[in-house]
Amino acid sequence: MYKIVSKEQFSQNVFRLCVEAPLIARACRAGNFVIVRIADKGERIPLTIAASDAEKGIITLVVQRVGLSSTRLCELNEGDEILDVVGPLGQPTHIENHGTVVCAGGGVGVAPMLPIATALKKAGNRVISVLAGRSKELIILEKEVRAVSDEVIIMTDDGSYGDKGLVTEGVERVIKREKVDKCFAIGPAVMMKFVCLLTKKYEIPTEVSLNTIMVDGTGMCGACRVTVDGKTKFVCVDGPEFDGHKVDFDGMLKRLAAFKDMEREEIEKYNDVHCEADPAQNEDAELIDRNAEWRVALRGKMKAKDRTNIERCVMPELDPVYRARSLR
Amino acid sequence: MALTEAQRCLDCPNPTCMEGCPVSINIPSFIKNIERGEFGKAAKVLKMTSSLPAVCGRVCPQEKQCESKCMHLKMGKKAVAIGSLERFAADYAREHGELSAPVIAPAKGIKVAVVGSGPAGLSFAGDMAKMGYDVTVFEALHEIGGVLKYGIPEFRLPNAIVDVEINTLEQMGVKFVKDCVIGKTLSIADLEADGFKGIFVASGAGLPNFMNIPGENSINIMSSNEYLTRVNLMDASNPESDTPMRIGKRVAVVGGGNTAMDSVRTALRLGAEKAMIIYRRSEAEMPARLEEVKHAKEEGVEFLTLHNPIEYIADENGCVKQIVLQKMELGEPDASGRRSPVPIEGAIETIDIDTAVVSVGVSPNPLVPTSVEGLELGRKNTIAVNEKMQSSIPTIFAGGDIVRGGATVILAMGDGRKAAASMDEMLSAK
């Protein structure tokens, strides 16, 4: 059993949990993740490690309430125990002095980015961090990131904090201004995809950290497979970090949706029982979020040009002769 | 019935059956104890050399091992049903509380570590505990038993049976640590610093092999490891469980081994209307146990032998909807002595499916091999060992699938026994 020693709420759906796991804290390096199983009958979910303190024997997890298991995890409180925490898993980030590095973190992706930025700074890099989120509340760990960065750019979709715009706009601004030697991008798959498209244009090597579906997390099941440079790779043992320019993001996005419908059902079932939760707000947010997965997928389905080429449709109308004789 | 079958055993002076057993169970002795009605004692004989008799009786390919060497065959008769008798004796002892923890030598005060709690690890742990070593087994998952728990389904090997065997080991003083990945949570160096004098690595076959054909990463195409782990270890088909699982109605399982049979029979039990085995050779070359193939057929599994998948076709959501098969015929024998399949030009078939399970073997788990400096590796990153199961680092021994790449429960157990004997020899010499 692994005790939660502190819990802090970052925003409506994002929490920071500090968990007692001395062996993991001792062995952990930037880029590693853990597999967590909350209770009996629970699923095994991967979570990146945001920070670790070997002396106190504590690791920090930043969790966003999205699915069933993350919801259950976020409902645990200080003093509660998690049944299983396994790790540190995955290959640690390769850290060296690249020169000038851009660290782009989207949403909760800022959490795993923090130890990487910290290590990069320590290795002598000039670190420029770009933090992005939908709105002000979703910009997390700003103070911590500032402490290890030479410059911080904040981008929000709605302009409620920092500059209005997407993460890519923030990154491009830096690239246009000065020579960037390396980029790290961590966040939702779509965000990483677009950062990579951008940096590829400027030929800047880019590392991404992938968060795929996993079961065991130790190289056994193959659920986490992605295509990198045309070859099948396993995120849990070959990754989680890969050369972003070689990752097949479209394939990955599809696989991420494997259990979407079931997950929704499970959550609804769960919410029926735990009515104190507020699903309405979550759903509403999704409805209007341009970067919501459904919406991005929808966008990708057809080229903009093809969309514009469609002729305007003529609304069917009733026969005017008939219309003219009817009062309704 | 067992008595009658036990009578068939000739109790040969030079029992050839024992040569066929990777752990050298004293086969005639246990069978003769059954014949005389001493079932508990028969089980005791089994326990002397095998830490998991109830398991072996169920999962060994006896027709290729002990039973293939039975004298009866030389006389044109059917072999003694050694496997069934083993299962009978072990089950009898368990159900009648006649389980006897084996006699344990006085404690030596020497700590040894085992990486992985599958068949190789458990068999090693049992032997070392018997010799008086202080044994700790480290397991990465949240359950003890390795492939016996996550891989082999409940209908073939009930978890309760595995748990009884594990309890026996616990009574013998073996300690188990779950959620601990050696090479990650703790390194081999950490274990040595902790006072472990010998380490046995039995971390098993990890990475599932895929065929690298178009469409293979579509949704609802899984490795057999994933499919079986979801159902067995995570209990995903139970609505109470949080782990999601899509229940396939038309399921294609690719492969002809025991794991493929386990997967296809699992699919039927979950409610598949059509469950198929797709295998590129003919039935004669199938590596699965005869009994598994027979059971699968009886249960209504369709066998598409001499068919090889060449592509998967997905629907607009990325979910698999069809499998494209190339028909094959048998050509010349290959290096393995089996006639190798060659494509029949133009003979292509497309079948509608909603789930595919890829069961074409596994490669060794990379976590331990890549974490130890100076450890010599063999083919496909297996750990290279000598005939004593000793690696290039003298204190590290290895066995099971991490050495073999992908084999059977009983071969893994045999490795565990052999490694225990050699490690004891090494540690006693000091």
Side-chain angles (χ1 to χ4, degrees):
Chain A
M1 299 292 266
Y2 300 80
K3 195 168 156 192
I4 297 172
V5 293
S6 70
K7 178 184 179 185
E8 188 187 336
Q9 185 160 13
F10 279 161
S11 66
Q12 195 200 341
N13 289 318
V14 181
F15 296 82
R16 166 155 68 182
L17 302 173
C18 294
V19 181
E20 232 172 47
L23 293 180
I24 301 174
R26 192 176 69 181
C28 148
R29 299 280 171 277
N32 284 145
F33 67 95
V34 288
I35 287 273
V36 171
R37 195 173 72 119
I38 296 139
D40 204 30
K41 301 271 174 214
E43 61 181 326
R44 295 170 67 96
I45 54 166
L47 292 170
T48 30
I49 303 170
S52 61
D53 185 331
E55 255 169 54
K56 290 186 188 149
I58 285 169
I59 57 168
T60 304
L61 307 174
V62 173
V63 192
Q64 183 168 24
R65 193 157 55 185
V66 274
L68 180 63
S69 294
S70 53
T71 304
R72 284 194 204 279
L73 187 56
C74 291
E75 269 165 18
L76 296 181
N77 287 308
E78 200 175 300
D80 289 344
E81 287 183 327
I82 303 172
L83 186 57
D84 299 288
V85 180
V86 191
L89 300 167
Q91 302 295 331
T93 311
H94 172 72
I95 301 288
E96 61 167 80
N97 190 347
H98 302 279
T100 299
V101 183
V102 168
C103 290
V108 278
V110 174
M113 184 60 87
L114 179 59
I116 295 171
T118 308
L120 287 168
K121 183 69 195 159
K122 216 171 148 190
N125 290 281
R126 172 171 150 77
V127 176
I128 302 169
S129 298
V130 180
L131 308 187
R134 284 200 302 271
S135 59
K136 185 173 188 221
E137 302 79 65
L138 297 171
I139 301 293
I140 59 168
L141 295 165
E142 184 192 338
K143 196 178 92 215
E144 288 84 348
V145 171
R146 276 196 193 281
V148 297
S149 309
D150 294 273
E151 184 189 344
V152 176
I153 295 172
I154 291 172
M155 305 295 298
T156 51
D157 293 4
D158 61 359
S160 55
Y161 190 48
D163 295 325
K164 185 175 159 102
L166 296 173
V167 65
T168 40
E169 293 167 49
V171 175
E172 192 161 23
R173 192 192 308 163
V174 181
I175 297 174
K176 281 187 167 159
R177 180 186 74 192
E178 62 183 293
K179 181 173 177 289
V180 173
D181 300 291
K182 178 99 181 171
C183 178
F184 287 81
I186 308 184
V190 192
M191 168 256 171
M192 292 191 280
K193 175 183 164 179
F194 283 102
V195 170
C196 288
L197 286 174
L198 174 78
T199 57
K200 198 166 185 180
K201 200 168 82 188
Y202 292 97
E203 291 178 3
I204 299 165
T206 301
E207 293 284 314
V208 292
S209 176
L210 306 183
N211 193 349
T212 49
I213 294 172
M214 293 187 188
V215 185
D216 65 293
T218 63
M220 195 177 79
C221 78
C224 64
R225 65 192 190 274
V226 286
T227 309
V228 181
D229 205 11
K231 294 190 191 76
T232 295
K233 293 276 177 189
F234 299 113
V235 172
C236 66
V237 290
D238 298 322
E241 284 170 27
F242 293 98
D243 176 346
H245 295 165
K246 294 184 176 159
V247 171
D248 170 12
F249 281 105
D250 294 337
M252 176 182 161
L253 278 164
K254 270 191 184 157
R255 288 186 61 76
L256 277 173
F259 295 107
K260 267 274 132 62
D261 49 339
M262 298 178 86
E263 182 95 290
R264 202 166 297 135
E265 257 171 50
E266 289 275 344
I267 273 280
E268 275 162 18
K269 215 159 60 184
Y270 180 78
N271 283 336
D272 284 348
V273 186
H274 301 73
C275 35
E276 76 272 25
D278 183 7
Q281 220 154 347
N282 269 342
E283 277 169 24
D284 287 352
E286 233 215 341
L287 294 181
I288 52 168
D289 175 13
R290 188 172 184 276
N291 291 323
E293 262 173 67
W294 64 268
R295 199 151 148 193
V296 174
L298 196 67
R299 262 205 299 283
K301 272 198 173 158
M302 192 186 238
K303 282 185 195 147
K305 207 177 144 197
D306 294 342
R307 288 182 195 275
T308 50
N309 282 342
I310 303 170
E311 288 290 330
R312 183 188 160 108
C313 305
V314 181
M315 269 284 278
E317 291 167 352
L318 286 172
D319 175 48
V321 178
Y322 171 80
R323 210 166 52 212
R325 280 165 176 70
S326 171
L327 278 172
R328 296 182 188 230
Chain B
M1 198 160 86
L3 289 172
T4 320
E5 184 61 30
Q7 282 169 357
R8 294 187 61 222
C9 170
L10 302 173
D11 201 7
C12 307
N14 293 312
T16 42
C17 52
M18 284 178 65
E19 292 166 15
C21 175
V23 297
S24 309
I25 286 178
N26 195 323
I27 294 167
S29 307
F30 97 79
I31 295 186
K32 292 300 127 181
N33 271 297
I34 294 178
E35 191 180 340
R36 69 174 177 140
E38 293 283 0
F39 306 143
K41 289 185 176 141
K44 213 168 179 179
V45 173
L46 292 170
K47 273 273 166 198
M48 287 174 191
T49 52
S50 165
S51 319
L52 316 161
V55 177
C56 295
R58 287 176 167 79
V59 303
C60 274
Q62 290 94 4
E63 72 273 6
K64 287 180 191 149
Q65 297 176 351
C66 51
E67 294 181 17
S68 76
K69 302 269 171 124
C70 179
M71 282 307 282
H72 278 259
L73 293 174
K74 293 210 172 124
M75 299 177 294
K77 299 268 170 14
K78 284 196 175 146
V80 173
I82 302 171
S84 309
L85 287 170
E86 178 182 26
R87 180 172 164 171
F88 164 78
D91 286 354
Y92 179 90
R94 190 182 63 254
E95 278 157 23
H96 291 77
E98 285 192 32
L99 282 181
S100 45
V103 189
I104 294 174
K108 289 184 196 282
I110 301 176
K111 279 165 70 174
V112 295
V114 186
V115 182
S117 67
L122 293 180
S123 138
F124 174 90
D127 276 17
M128 290 305 266
K130 261 186 250 173
M131 291 187 265
Y133 288 93
D134 179 355
V135 186
T136 307
V137 180
F138 296 90
E139 167 57 47
L141 293 174
H142 58 265
E143 285 248 19
I144 300 299
V147 72
L148 307 173
K149 285 274 179 68
Y150 75 74
I152 303 177
E154 184 75 11
F155 59 82
R156 186 143 83 91
L157 177 64
N159 281 345
I161 289 181
V162 182
D163 285 333
V164 168
E165 310 273 8
I166 292 164
N167 284 342
T168 313
L169 290 175
E170 271 177 337
Q171 280 165 26
M172 289 161 63
V174 176
K175 294 186 258 302
F176 290 98
V177 180
K178 298 176 194 173
D179 289 344
C180 186
V181 188
I182 301 300
K184 291 289 178 187
T185 315
L186 290 173
S187 65
I188 295 279
D190 289 333
L191 293 180
E192 279 166 353
D194 234 2
F196 288 99
K197 299 293 177 210
I199 295 160
F200 179 56
V201 180
S203 49
L207 304 171
N209 295 343
F210 287 93
M211 297 174 65
N212 290 316
I213 57 176
E216 202 174 25
N217 287 348
S218 304
I219 296 174
N220 298 333
I221 301 179
M222 283 164 276
S223 72
S224 47
N225 270 2
E226 179 183 352
Y227 188 67
L228 292 173
T229 301
R230 281 188 191 272
V231 180
N232 299 337
L233 182 71
M234 306 309 294
D235 196 18
S237 61
N238 177 349
E240 298 281 293
S241 164
D242 290 350
T243 304
M245 172 101 208
R246 217 175 282 278
I247 309 292
K249 289 284 171 218
R250 298 174 66 87
V251 183
V253 176
V254 182
N258 289 319
T259 317
M261 298 306 146
D262 286 347
S263 303
V264 80
R265 295 175 65 206
T266 296
L268 276 182
R269 281 157 179 75
L270 293 181
E273 284 150 14
K274 191 179 175 77
M276 295 164 274
I277 281 285
I278 293 172
Y279 183 54
R280 65 195 180 110
R281 299 176 192 256
S282 78
E283 194 179 321
E285 286 85 12
M286 274 196 183
R289 298 173 78 214
L290 282 182
E291 200 184 5
E292 306 308 321
V293 177
K294 177 175 160 278
H295 285 160
K297 281 189 174 164
E298 286 167 0
E299 289 165 13
V301 171
E302 287 174 46
F303 279 68
L304 290 174
T305 51
L306 291 167
H307 280 73
N308 197 30
I310 49 173
E311 189 183 351
Y312 295 97
I313 297 170
D315 67 11
E316 65 282 4
N317 297 317
C319 299
V320 66
K321 64 169 184 183
Q322 282 176 326
I323 182 168
V324 184
L325 302 171
Q326 163 74 59
K327 289 191 190 173
M328 314 290 278
E329 61 189 350
L330 288 180
E332 296 299 309
D334 61 8
S336 72
R338 297 184 294 183
R339 291 180 64 193
S340 57
V342 284
I344 305 172
E345 213 175 306
I348 306 266
E349 192 180 341
T350 302
I351 298 179
D352 290 346
I353 58 169
D354 61 11
T355 301
V357 179
V358 183
S359 184
V360 294
V362 284
S363 303
N365 193 302
L367 293 181
V368 177
T370 54
S371 75
V372 187
E373 223 169 290
L375 188 66
E376 218 171 278
L377 302 184
R379 206 171 72 89
K380 278 191 167 181
N381 290 333
T382 49
I383 297 181
V385 292
N386 61 21
E387 71 288 348
K388 292 186 162 175
M389 311 309 295
Q390 191 174 30
S391 75
S392 58
I393 297 172
T395 50
I396 301 180
F397 291 68
D401 278 0
I402 192 68
V403 165
R404 296 173 177 273
T408 59
V409 167
I410 190 66
L411 286 172
M413 289 179 57
D415 289 353
R417 290 208 74 208
K418 216 194 281 175
S422 333
M423 192 187 285
D424 173 52
E425 198 181 303
M426 177 192 80
L427 294 173
S428 311
K430 275 186 184 166

